[in-house]
Every structure is written in C-alpha cells, then in structure tokens.
C-alpha cells in the first residue's frame, strides 16, 4: 500500500456507462492519485474510486465532478480517511478473526458504506474485516467489524449517525459468532 501523509478517498458515481470512462480519465489525468476501481456497478451506473493525498484527491475529484456533472448520481470526497478503510479498499479482506462480536452495516449506496465505515473505525476500537462495494450487491455497500460487543455497538452507532435519510438498509450485531458461520464468510 502506498503511504501518504494525509490520505483521502474520492468516489464518483454516474448514471452513464460511457460517461464513466470520461470521468475516470479526467480523474487520473488531473493529479497523481491511485485508481481503486473504475467499472460498472448496478445496472446503468458507473463507479470511479480513487485515493491519494488530500490535495491530489481534491484536484482529481473536482475534475471528475466537472466531467460527470450532468449524470452525477453520488459522490464522496473524504479527507483524513481512516487507515483501515484505505487498507480494506486496497488490499481487500483481512485475516480471519476469532471475534468476540461482529457488527454488520448495510447501505443503499457505496458512498454511504465508505463514509459510515470510516466513522465506525474512528469512533471505536474495532477491526474492519471487510468492506464490500456494489459488486453482487445491487449497488449497495456493506461492511463488517469485529471487537468487544460494546465497541461493535459504538461503531454501528457512529456508522449509522453519519448516514443521510434513506441510506441505511440495516445493522446487525452477532455476539460470539459460531466458528462454522465464520468459515463461510471468509
């Protein structure tokens, strides 16, 4: 993983697949950011996801917003993103845990998933196990954290608290998850 002094995440979602290519091109041409994803997600929508230093992401974000202005569905500029969120986006799944409790938060949007995962990691002593975005989820987002039950609950509360109306699908808590169930998650 590339280390930056102050990492930021940028996300642009547009309602045109063709324009999605243009948005991605504008993003990577503007500044030295690392592209994390550029692909169709839900039917008829295209996602561009990237990260880098705050200044680089801010510049690229502005260029991408301008390129996708008329078809922009959702966007996120997240300066100071928590390192666990960056790690989940760049490396995928973490090690298989032996959790005391699991917390799961599901959102209707990719932006909501990233924003709420960041808030959860900043608010409580939890480990972000997984951050799933759009693929196979109908454009939704989902994250899973582990830790002591009280920390998992605090993380879910913080994650829910940053979401706008109509973005949250559901939260779930699983105290002492069964090992066999965990075998099927990872």
């Amino acid at each position: 993983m590339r280390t930056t002094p102050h990492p930021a995440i940028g996300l642009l979602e547009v309602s045109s697949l063709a324009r999605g290519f243009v948005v991605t091109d504008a993003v990577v041409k503007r500044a030295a950011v690392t592209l994390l994803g550029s692909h169709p997600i839900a039917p008829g929508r295209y996602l561009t996801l990237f990260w880098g230093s705050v200044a680089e992401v801010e510049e690229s974000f502005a260029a991408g917003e301008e390129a996708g202005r008329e078809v922009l569905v959702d966007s996120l500029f997240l300066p100071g993103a928590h390192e666990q969120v960056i790690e989940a986006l760049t490396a995928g799944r973490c090690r298989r845990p032996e959790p005391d409790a699991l917390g799961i938060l599901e959102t209707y949007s990719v932006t909501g998933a990233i924003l709420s995962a960041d808030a959860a990691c900043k608010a409580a002593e939890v480990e972000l196990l997984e951050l799933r975005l759009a693929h196979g989820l109908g454009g939704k987002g989902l994250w899973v954290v582990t830790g002591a039950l009280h920390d998992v609950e605090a993380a879910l509360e913080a994650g829910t608290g940053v979401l706008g109306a109509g973005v949250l699908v559901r939260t779930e808590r699983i105290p002492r998850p069964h090992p066999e169930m965990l075998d099927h998650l990872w």
Side-chain angles (χ1 to χ4, degrees):
M1 176 172 69
R2 183 177 85 170
T3 304
T4 60
H6 303 285
I9 296 170
L11 178 148
L12 297 157
E13 183 179 334
V14 295
S15 62
S16 164
L17 301 177
R19 183 51 61 101
F21 287 94
V22 174
V23 168
T24 298
D25 185 60
V27 163
V28 295
K29 279 182 177 173
R30 179 61 62 98
V33 294
T34 300
L35 197 58
L36 297 171
S38 172
H39 44 77
I41 53 169
R45 295 189 341 222
Y46 197 92
L47 179 75
T48 303
L49 179 63
F50 52 99
W51 81 286
S53 73
V54 172
E56 291 169 330
V57 170
E58 188 172 30
E59 283 293 313
S60 289
F61 184 81
E65 260 190 333
E66 178 60 29
R69 181 173 19 97
E70 70 237 17
V71 292
L72 193 63
V73 173
D74 204 358
S75 65
L76 174 66
F77 171 63
L78 181 60
H82 194 279
E83 65 185 37
Q84 286 192 71
V85 174
I86 299 287
E87 189 176 318
L89 290 171
T90 58
R93 293 185 183 138
C94 302
R95 64 176 179 78
R96 182 177 181 263
E98 297 297 330
D100 177 46
L102 290 179
I104 304 109
L105 189 141
E106 179 183 2
T107 63
Y108 283 111
S109 75
V110 171
T111 298
I114 294 171
L115 189 60
S116 62
D118 183 66
C121 290
K122 289 175 177 173
E125 289 292 319
V126 292
E127 181 181 352
L128 181 62
L129 299 177
E130 190 160 9
L131 179 56
R132 294 185 189 187
L133 304 174
H135 291 296
L137 303 174
K140 292 180 180 181
L142 174 94
W143 52 260
V144 180
V145 295
T146 187
L149 183 58
H150 69 277
D151 285 323
V152 165
E153 288 175 345
L156 289 170
E157 185 177 324
T160 301
V162 298
L163 296 174
V167 177
L168 179 67
V169 174
R170 188 170 191 89
T171 62
E172 296 289 347
R173 294 153 191 79
I174 304 175
R176 298 172 313 283
H178 193 282
E180 189 172 337
M181 186 274 294
L182 293 173
D183 288 341
H184 291 277
L185 295 179
W186 292 279

